[in-house]
Structure formats: structure tokens, C-alpha cells
Amino acid sequence: MAQAQSTEADWVSRFADEVIAEGERRAPGKPIVVASGLSPSGPIHLGNLREVMTPHLVADEIRRRGHECVHVLSWDDYDRYRKVPAGVDASWAEHIGKPLTAVPAPPGSPYGSWAEHFKAAMIEALDELGIEYRGISQTEQYTSGAYREQILHAMKHRGDIDAILDQYRTKAKPGAKKQQKPLDEAELEAAEGSGAAAEDDGSAGGAGYFPYKPYCTVCNKDLTTVTSYDDETTELAYTCTCGHAETVLLKEFDHGKLVWKVDWPMRWAYEGVIFEPSGVDHSSPGSSFQVGGQIVGPIFGGEQPIGPMYAFVGISGMAKMSSSKGGVPTPGDALQIMEAPLLRWLYARRRPNQSFKVAFDQEIQRLYDEWDKLDAKVADGTVLPADAAAYSRATRTAAGELPRTPRPLPYRTLASVVDITGGHEAQTLRILSELDPDNPVTSLEETRPRLERAEHWINTQVPAESRTIVRDEPDTEHLARLGEQDRESLRLLLEGLDEHWSLDGLTTLVYGVPKVLAGLEPHAKPTPELKAAQRAFFALLYQLLVGRDTGPRLPTLLLAVGADRVRKLLGA
Ligand SMILES: [Zn+2]
């Protein structure tokens, strides 16, 4: 029982067991290495965050248990630039074929290259998420000659590599169609960012198979063909579509890279990676993960990592954003509308093979309700073990607690309040301080950063027609048409306002007025008739206050509108 921890027996814990055992078998006494790879070929999407979150959570669990663990994040920034995304000047097409670090950043960026520009946004998000990693630039690795020995070795054994790759090539013969679900557009977008689209195996040209491709020293593109290679001297000759042709000594040449299907297993061996998950696009038969598993041992003397497949992460209802982002949100976009622990929780509570959606629509309010309920269960000790594990992984890492909002008021309440006040600070504070008069909010600081997240959500994700606009003047025409029953209900409401001026009080009041009118006790069980009367009463209030049939929850709305204005609009 001494070992009992809240983090036992969830998927993260089970992988940690497996990885620690493998680490002890493969490299006893050495730090355990887990890995992720990201290609900064464009905005790095929320779907790609799973590439980092999965090993992060496992690494964090390993560290919590007191083991040393390194999370290597490989920036595949020496990959070729493949296409110009929507929203970027078409003239960028002239850079197709160059390494991502050699392509200028999109117009207006303060960064020195395409890769740096897109890495920067991800690095910022990873910091906010509390993810500790060792970033490795593949441009730096390749151009510094770090892999020289591995490259020469792969070239020497190119025949063996070709033979392994060939088994998969013949399997994929035309006619033997793979019965795979086609990827939808979002999935293709995500695959684009993960290196899958670059699954070049370096297939043979006229001079045989070469697992290495030089970037041309004149045009800096990979539109090159190796025409000969001498194992003894390492003399490599290549031609380029730009017209350039040269012979270099590969043992001195640091201007090219291994093809992806050879590059990946080389790095497993080089770093000693024990755990590296991959997306479904990498895990199908004949995929780079499977083929890499055949190459890593015989060629590089390493072992394939434990590599679970992770499912795609979808998005629900994101409003149209700037076209330069192609409408697919990044972790940074999500962190503008939700706090880091909530985003971590979404990834921690689902096994990697379960897909899920990150809510940008109204669903985020329900999600936050669920999160607050979990928080309360943790506080009062009624939480279930698996939920406690996910909560713990969301709110802290081995390094400590993530920042949280000191006074986490319900997200939907904050959203309603900023919806009505338009973010006006004094007004917002006035309303928030009246929610619970016994324990009033005394400064907006207590409610941040959750308040800002709710405000950003209202401003960027809620369509104009769903925003709440409180009437300036009473709807005198409507008021004049009201029957006796409705007038009486408004009178009862206004009469009780002062006495019930808190979130709880007003909740009792708005539900209670129809009960009083029906001659029922305040705590009477609701009947279908009463429920209908309550709905009609609420619709009347919405009409008179905001000119629509629905709106934010009424107690919040009444507090936000303020007692004087409520009296004015309801005709007293
Ligand atoms: Zn060239």
C-alpha cells in the first residue's frame, strides 16, 4: 500500500512499466530515451500535439518514479519544402525542394527561416503546457556531420537496405489494393505536418539504389540524382535538374540526408530511443515504422522503439480563422481559449488509439463543467482512480504544478459575463463580485487566466448572431400586450430581486416565480405543467431583456444586466 499512487493503472502508467523494463534490458543504468518528431513545414496542428503529448506523459510518469528520462523532440527541419500553403505568396514555390531551414519565413515574420517561424509557435505552446524536452534540429545534426558514420554505413549497405525495402515494394503491387479508409482532409493536413508525405524510400535510378540524397550545392534543392558512388573513396557523383553536376567525397560532405525510411531507424539507433509513438499514417503495412523496424537492427545495430499508433485528434466547430492558418487550429490557438491543464487533460484521459475532439464550439462550456466537477471530486476524495490519474497528469508534471486560476469560476458564467460586458473590466468585476456575496470576488486577478480564455472564446469563436445584446430601452409594445399572468410573474420577480441578488438566490427566484403563480410550495417537485410554465417565463424574460428567446443562463444574465436596468426593462 505504501506504493499506492493516484497515477496507477492508467494507459500512461502501463506504458511507463513497459518502457522502464525495456530500458533496463537495453541499456541498464542509462537515462531512458523517448522521442517525438515534428516537421515544421507549416503550422503544427493540434493533431500533431499528440506526437509530443503521448511520449511526454510517459516520460513524466517515468520521472515521477525517480528514473532519469530524456524526451527527444526531433525537429525535422532538414526535410524538403514541399508546397506553398494557402495564404502565402505563390512566389514561395521557387523554394520547393530546399531544406525547410533554407526557405525564407512567411512575409512579415520576425524569424530567419520557414522552419524557425513554425517551430517558434510550437515551442511557445509546449512551454505553456509544461512539456520538458530536448529539441534536436536535424539541420544542425546533418550539416555538422553528426551522422557521417551512419550515412557512410548506410551507403555501404545500400544493397541490404534496398532488399528490405523491396519486400514492401512488391507487396504494394498495383491490383493488390489496400482496403484502407481514405483519410479525410483534416487527416491529410495532419499527415502533411508529420513527415508522412515525405515517405520517400530513395528508389533506384539508373545507377542503382542509394539511401542518401544530396541537396545541390548550387540551387540548394534536392532535385538531385546520385549517378555513382565508390565505397572505397566515398566519391559520390550527382546531377541536379538545375544543370549542376559534381563529384564530392561523402566522408567530407554534409549537404544531404538519408531518405526518410532509413533516416528514422538510423535515429532510433543513434539516440537509443525506447518509446516513440506514431500516427496512423506511419503505422500501416509497409509504413516507415514497420519498415524501419526491419532496418534498424541489421543495418544500424539498434532496436525498434515501443511505438503505439495514435489516432487523429479532431476539432469541433472552430470558427473561420485567418486563412494563412488554413483553418486548422494549432495548440497555441487552443491555449487561447482554454487553460493548459484542461488541454493536457484531453490528451491524458484518452488512450492513444482513441480519437477525440478538441472543442472550439459551445461544447467547451460543458467540457469545463466536467473538469470543475472532477476538480471537486479530487478535493473531496470521491474521485475514481483512473480519473484521479488523468487529473494529476493534467495539473502537474514531475517538475511541479502548472499555473492555475486561483478562483476558477464556471467558464460558462465567465463567458456569459464577458459576452454582456464586452470585456469592460469594472463592469465585469461588479458582476463577478455579486455572484456570491458571502465570498465575493474582490479582484479580476483571482479569476485569471480563465477569464481571459473565456473572453477570447467569446470574441473569436461565438458568431455575431449568438452574442448577447442587452436592450437599451424597454420593449414597450411587448409590455403593453402582456396578460395578467405575465404581469404578475414580472411583479413577483422584481419584488424578490434585492433579497435574491446572488447567483444562487436568483436561481431560486427565477425557478420559484412560476411555482408561486401555480400556488405551489417553493420546494415543490416540478410537474410537466410547471416545467412548461417555467420555460414560458424564461422565454418572456429573454425577450424583454435581450430581444431573443434564449441567452445566457438567466441568473447570470440578471446579475450582468444589473438590478436597475432589469427594473427598467421589465417595466417597473
Ligand atoms: Zn541544383
mmCIF file of all heavy atoms in Angstrom, residues 459-478:
data_model
loop_
_atom_site.group_PDB
_atom_site.id
_atom_site.type_symbol
_atom_site.label_atom_id
_atom_site.label_comp_id
_atom_site.label_asym_id
_atom_site.label_seq_id
_atom_site.Cartn_x
_atom_site.Cartn_y
_atom_site.Cartn_z
ATOM 1 N N ASN A 459 -14.999 36.165 -28.046
ATOM 2 C CA ASN A 459 -14.666 37.112 -29.113
ATOM 3 C C ASN A 459 -14.283 36.472 -30.434
ATOM 4 O O ASN A 459 -14.451 37.081 -31.483
ATOM 5 C CB ASN A 459 -13.515 38.027 -28.655
ATOM 6 C CG ASN A 459 -13.970 38.993 -27.585
ATOM 7 O OD1 ASN A 459 -15.164 39.329 -27.502
ATOM 8 N ND2 ASN A 459 -13.048 39.437 -26.749
ATOM 9 N N THR A 460 -13.744 35.254 -30.379
ATOM 10 C CA THR A 460 -13.266 34.674 -31.640
ATOM 11 C C THR A 460 -14.101 33.501 -32.138
ATOM 12 O O THR A 460 -14.051 33.175 -33.317
ATOM 13 C CB THR A 460 -11.805 34.175 -31.506
ATOM 14 O OG1 THR A 460 -11.745 33.163 -30.494
ATOM 15 C CG2 THR A 460 -10.862 35.308 -31.161
ATOM 16 N N GLN A 461 -14.811 32.819 -31.263
ATOM 17 C CA GLN A 461 -15.479 31.580 -31.668
ATOM 18 C C GLN A 461 -16.997 31.647 -31.658
ATOM 19 O O GLN A 461 -17.648 30.754 -32.193
ATOM 20 C CB GLN A 461 -15.028 30.410 -30.769
ATOM 21 C CG GLN A 461 -13.524 30.185 -30.747
ATOM 22 C CD GLN A 461 -12.960 29.831 -32.107
ATOM 23 O OE1 GLN A 461 -13.608 29.177 -32.916
ATOM 24 N NE2 GLN A 461 -11.760 30.307 -32.391
ATOM 25 N N VAL A 462 -17.556 32.661 -31.004
ATOM 26 C CA VAL A 462 -19.018 32.720 -30.935
ATOM 27 C C VAL A 462 -19.515 33.674 -32.030
ATOM 28 O O VAL A 462 -19.114 34.829 -32.070
ATOM 29 C CB VAL A 462 -19.483 33.180 -29.533
ATOM 30 C CG1 VAL A 462 -21.000 33.289 -29.470
ATOM 31 C CG2 VAL A 462 -18.976 32.201 -28.471
ATOM 32 N N PRO A 463 -20.338 33.158 -32.951
ATOM 33 C CA PRO A 463 -20.769 34.002 -34.067
ATOM 34 C C PRO A 463 -21.597 35.201 -33.604
ATOM 35 O O PRO A 463 -22.261 35.148 -32.562
ATOM 36 C CB PRO A 463 -21.609 33.061 -34.935
ATOM 37 C CG PRO A 463 -21.904 31.866 -34.098
ATOM 38 C CD PRO A 463 -20.894 31.804 -33.009
ATOM 39 N N ALA A 464 -21.533 36.271 -34.376
ATOM 40 C CA ALA A 464 -22.200 37.528 -34.007
ATOM 41 C C ALA A 464 -23.666 37.302 -33.654
ATOM 42 O O ALA A 464 -24.173 37.880 -32.691
ATOM 43 C CB ALA A 464 -22.067 38.526 -35.150
ATOM 44 N N GLU A 465 -24.343 36.417 -34.415
ATOM 45 C CA GLU A 465 -25.778 36.247 -34.163
ATOM 46 C C GLU A 465 -26.051 35.526 -32.842
ATOM 47 O O GLU A 465 -27.182 35.537 -32.367
ATOM 48 C CB GLU A 465 -26.463 35.547 -35.339
ATOM 49 C CG GLU A 465 -26.024 34.119 -35.597
ATOM 50 C CD GLU A 465 -24.838 34.008 -36.573
ATOM 51 O OE1 GLU A 465 -24.113 35.014 -36.749
ATOM 52 O OE2 GLU A 465 -24.641 32.923 -37.138
ATOM 53 N N SER A 466 -25.020 34.926 -32.253
ATOM 54 C CA SER A 466 -25.224 34.269 -30.959
ATOM 55 C C SER A 466 -24.788 35.142 -29.789
ATOM 56 O O SER A 466 -24.906 34.742 -28.636
ATOM 57 C CB SER A 466 -24.443 32.955 -30.898
ATOM 58 O OG SER A 466 -24.781 32.134 -31.970
ATOM 59 N N ARG A 467 -24.247 36.308 -30.081
ATOM 60 C CA ARG A 467 -23.810 37.186 -28.999
ATOM 61 C C ARG A 467 -25.019 37.817 -28.332
ATOM 62 O O ARG A 467 -26.075 37.981 -28.938
ATOM 63 C CB ARG A 467 -22.878 38.293 -29.539
ATOM 64 C CG ARG A 467 -21.564 37.795 -30.116
ATOM 65 C CD ARG A 467 -20.647 37.217 -29.059
ATOM 66 N NE ARG A 467 -20.337 38.193 -28.017
ATOM 67 C CZ ARG A 467 -19.277 38.997 -28.042
ATOM 68 N NH1 ARG A 467 -18.414 38.933 -29.030
ATOM 69 N NH2 ARG A 467 -19.050 39.855 -27.060
ATOM 70 N N THR A 468 -24.860 38.171 -27.066
ATOM 71 C CA THR A 468 -25.979 38.722 -26.299
ATOM 72 C C THR A 468 -25.915 40.242 -26.321
ATOM 73 O O THR A 468 -24.889 40.821 -25.975
ATOM 74 C CB THR A 468 -25.891 38.225 -24.846
ATOM 75 O OG1 THR A 468 -25.874 36.800 -24.874
ATOM 76 C CG2 THR A 468 -27.072 38.717 -24.025
ATOM 77 N N ILE A 469 -27.010 40.846 -26.750
ATOM 78 C CA ILE A 469 -27.063 42.309 -26.723
ATOM 79 C C ILE A 469 -28.252 42.726 -25.852
ATOM 80 O O ILE A 469 -29.410 42.481 -26.203
ATOM 81 C CB ILE A 469 -27.186 42.894 -28.143
ATOM 82 C CG1 ILE A 469 -25.950 42.472 -28.969
ATOM 83 C CG2 ILE A 469 -27.319 44.413 -28.097
ATOM 84 C CD1 ILE A 469 -26.132 42.592 -30.449
ATOM 85 N N VAL A 470 -27.943 43.291 -24.699
ATOM 86 C CA VAL A 470 -28.994 43.696 -23.766
ATOM 87 C C VAL A 470 -29.687 44.947 -24.325
ATOM 88 O O VAL A 470 -29.022 45.853 -24.840
ATOM 89 C CB VAL A 470 -28.397 43.989 -22.366
ATOM 90 C CG1 VAL A 470 -29.487 44.419 -21.399
ATOM 91 C CG2 VAL A 470 -27.659 42.763 -21.846
ATOM 92 N N ARG A 471 -31.020 44.972 -24.255
ATOM 93 C CA ARG A 471 -31.777 46.115 -24.784
ATOM 94 C C ARG A 471 -31.394 47.391 -24.040
ATOM 95 O O ARG A 471 -31.120 47.363 -22.841
ATOM 96 C CB ARG A 471 -33.273 45.873 -24.602
ATOM 97 C CG ARG A 471 -33.811 44.606 -25.240
ATOM 98 C CD ARG A 471 -35.321 44.568 -25.075
ATOM 99 N NE ARG A 471 -35.936 45.641 -25.851
ATOM 100 C CZ ARG A 471 -36.413 45.469 -27.081
ATOM 101 N NH1 ARG A 471 -36.387 44.265 -27.651
ATOM 102 N NH2 ARG A 471 -36.929 46.482 -27.734
ATOM 103 N N ASP A 472 -31.385 48.482 -24.758
ATOM 104 C CA ASP A 472 -31.151 49.787 -24.118
ATOM 105 C C ASP A 472 -32.446 50.312 -23.513
ATOM 106 O O ASP A 472 -32.454 50.900 -22.443
ATOM 107 C CB ASP A 472 -30.633 50.802 -25.151
ATOM 108 C CG ASP A 472 -29.171 50.554 -25.462
ATOM 109 O OD1 ASP A 472 -28.443 50.153 -24.537
ATOM 110 O OD2 ASP A 472 -28.777 50.728 -26.630
ATOM 111 N N GLU A 473 -33.538 50.111 -24.251
ATOM 112 C CA GLU A 473 -34.835 50.656 -23.833
ATOM 113 C C GLU A 473 -35.829 49.509 -23.693
ATOM 114 O O GLU A 473 -35.712 48.504 -24.383
ATOM 115 C CB GLU A 473 -35.351 51.639 -24.907
ATOM 116 C CG GLU A 473 -34.496 52.892 -25.064
ATOM 117 C CD GLU A 473 -34.416 53.726 -23.790
ATOM 118 O OE1 GLU A 473 -35.411 53.727 -23.019
ATOM 119 O OE2 GLU A 473 -33.352 54.338 -23.558
ATOM 120 N N PRO A 474 -36.821 49.659 -22.798
ATOM 121 C CA PRO A 474 -37.825 48.598 -22.665
ATOM 122 C C PRO A 474 -38.627 48.400 -23.945
ATOM 123 O O PRO A 474 -38.827 49.359 -24.700
ATOM 124 C CB PRO A 474 -38.721 49.078 -21.521
ATOM 125 C CG PRO A 474 -38.336 50.474 -21.229
ATOM 126 C CD PRO A 474 -37.021 50.768 -21.863
ATOM 127 N N ASP A 475 -39.063 47.178 -24.178
ATOM 128 C CA ASP A 475 -39.908 46.857 -25.332
ATOM 129 C C ASP A 475 -41.352 47.195 -24.933
ATOM 130 O O ASP A 475 -42.128 46.328 -24.533
ATOM 131 C CB ASP A 475 -39.745 45.365 -25.661
ATOM 132 C CG ASP A 475 -40.459 44.978 -26.949
ATOM 133 O OD1 ASP A 475 -41.276 45.794 -27.453
ATOM 134 O OD2 ASP A 475 -40.210 43.860 -27.447
ATOM 135 N N THR A 476 -41.682 48.464 -25.053
ATOM 136 C CA THR A 476 -42.976 48.945 -24.515
ATOM 137 C C THR A 476 -44.160 48.270 -25.207
ATOM 138 O O THR A 476 -45.173 47.983 -24.575
ATOM 139 C CB THR A 476 -43.097 50.478 -24.685
ATOM 140 O OG1 THR A 476 -42.686 50.819 -26.002
ATOM 141 C CG2 THR A 476 -42.251 51.214 -23.671
ATOM 142 N N GLU A 477 -43.982 48.001 -26.492
ATOM 143 C CA GLU A 477 -45.060 47.348 -27.236
ATOM 144 C C GLU A 477 -45.369 45.967 -26.653
ATOM 145 O O GLU A 477 -46.519 45.621 -26.423
ATOM 146 C CB GLU A 477 -44.612 47.192 -28.690
ATOM 147 C CG GLU A 477 -45.721 47.328 -29.709
ATOM 148 C CD GLU A 477 -45.142 47.243 -31.105
ATOM 149 O OE1 GLU A 477 -44.361 48.158 -31.473
ATOM 150 O OE2 GLU A 477 -45.412 46.237 -31.791
ATOM 151 N N HIS A 478 -44.291 45.220 -26.431
ATOM 152 C CA HIS A 478 -44.453 43.875 -25.850
ATOM 153 C C HIS A 478 -45.048 43.958 -24.447
ATOM 154 O O HIS A 478 -45.974 43.222 -24.090
ATOM 155 C CB HIS A 478 -43.088 43.166 -25.828
ATOM 156 C CG HIS A 478 -43.167 41.683 -25.562
ATOM 157 N ND1 HIS A 478 -42.149 40.828 -25.838
ATOM 158 C CD2 HIS A 478 -44.151 40.916 -25.039
ATOM 159 C CE1 HIS A 478 -42.484 39.594 -25.509
ATOM 160 N NE2 HIS A 478 -43.715 39.626 -25.014
#
